[in-house]
Amino acid sequence: MSRTEGRVREPSELADLSSRAERACARPAAPPRRLTRRGSRLRSSNGSPAGHCGSFAGDAFLAAVARPLRLPGTSERRSPEPARRFCLRLAQDPGPRGNAGAGVPSAPPALELLKDVHLGLAPPGRGPARLALLSGHYLYYHYGCDGLDDRGWGCGYRTLQTLCSWPEGRPAGVPGLAAVQAALEDMGDKPPGFRGSRSWIGCVEASLCLDHFGGPQGRLCHVPRGAGLQGELERLYSHFAGGGGPVMVGGDADAQSKALLGVCLGPGTEAYVLVLDPHFWGAPKNPSELQAAGWVGWREVGAAFDRNSFYNLCLTSCNSQKQQHALR
């Protein structure tokens, strides 16, 4: 028998406790809650008693299970083997944290990024047109591609990463989301506490980071509210026809960041832009899958952009001989 938590427990009860502990270890953990001390009991931030999945409660439970036990009829004291296995498992793999609680799918593991996912798309329109695509190569960065669940706030960061991967189409030198936030805070563009937040970024922040991390040159262009992108089509055509890279675009009413990879003008007044959408979540098998689902594709300008929104553009171009060589 063993004295645990002020009362005697039979060996059969200890075995049952260890079995329940094993099952608890296999369940996904709930998101951790901030614990506060109120009176003599720990309580969570919403005022309810701290649950068994909180870090403090988990430590107390582990200490209770791991306490040496005195075997009946002997002076020998040791821990039951099932409890010892459970303690080892909990120490080595404490389970999911963050927003990976019950009912919320965890972020996928870091993925092998797909390259130049627009290749193979047929030109839009019904007749002769002027068509210009980006030069060089890029990688498709999207929600969760590095194992971080950034759904709902990370589209600007992912578009920036796609821009940074151009023109060589390689991950070398592409900053992670934490590095981007640290750089913006360090350079004074963002206030203290921006690191580790879920705050959005747009084209202005992207242009600062392109310069900070030594990526391609980023040139900003502002499109007033009510104009849409119709008035920028010739600029975009000249940009892509002249060897330019992907263009980041975002606004206020239309706040979803995305990248433009090309433009197609004509026949007549028809106009299309090739859009790369970073909001995909999952593990794409190939570019064809993304194209079929519309994550990369041609969109009619009038339908793709909101006239009630202003837009900022960040147009990338090579800023070194090494980058120029990658276009050849």
Side-chain angles (χ1 to χ4, degrees), residues 31-57:
R33 296 176 291 177
R34 181 172 57 86
L35 302 181
T36 58
R37 186 174 296 279
R38 182 178 302 171
S40 60
R41 298 185 63 187
L42 280 176
R43 306 183 75 84
S44 67
S45 56
N46 64 7
S48 61
H52 72 276
C53 290
S55 58
F56 179 90

Side-chain angles (χ1 to χ4, degrees), residues 147-221:
L148 172 66
D149 186 350
D150 56 323
R151 287 175 291 181
W153 60 274
C155 58
Y157 299 86
R158 300 306 184 184
T159 304
L160 168 61
Q161 289 179 313
T162 292
L163 269 56
C164 288
S165 72
W166 183 85
E168 297 177 315
R170 290 167 29 180
V174 176
L177 276 63
V180 170
Q181 292 186 336
L184 289 170
E185 186 175 316
D186 289 343
M187 69 178 71
D189 181 71
K190 298 299 180 186
F194 182 72
R195 304 170 201 242
S197 71
R198 295 189 173 188
S199 298
W200 299 3
I201 65 169
C203 290
V204 175
E205 292 89 346
S207 67
L208 293 173
C209 288
L210 288 173
D211 180 67
H212 178 84
F213 291 104
Q217 180 181 356
R219 180 166 55 93
L220 290 173
C221 173

Side-chain angles (χ1 to χ4, degrees), residues 211-260:
D211 180 67
H212 178 84
F213 291 104
Q217 180 181 356
R219 180 166 55 93
L220 290 173
C221 173
H222 179 72
V223 182
R225 193 184 316 277
L229 289 190
Q230 292 286 349
E232 303 300 322
L233 293 176
E234 288 295 337
R235 183 200 302 267
L236 290 170
Y237 180 85
S238 299
H239 169 77
F240 291 121
V247 176
M248 181 173 175
V249 57
D252 59 343
D254 177 8
Q256 295 186 335
S257 294
K258 55 191 77 72
L260 306 182

Side-chain angles (χ1 to χ4, degrees), residues 1-21 23 61 64-65 69 72 80 82-83:
M1 290 181 289
S2 169
R3 296 188 179 275
T4 304
E5 299 297 330
R7 68 185 182 87
V8 177
R9 294 180 183 268
E10 296 293 335
S12 60
E13 186 179 2
L14 288 169
D16 179 66
L17 176 62
S18 179
S19 176
R20 295 202 307 270
R23 293 195 299 272
F61 178 69
V65 174
L69 308 176

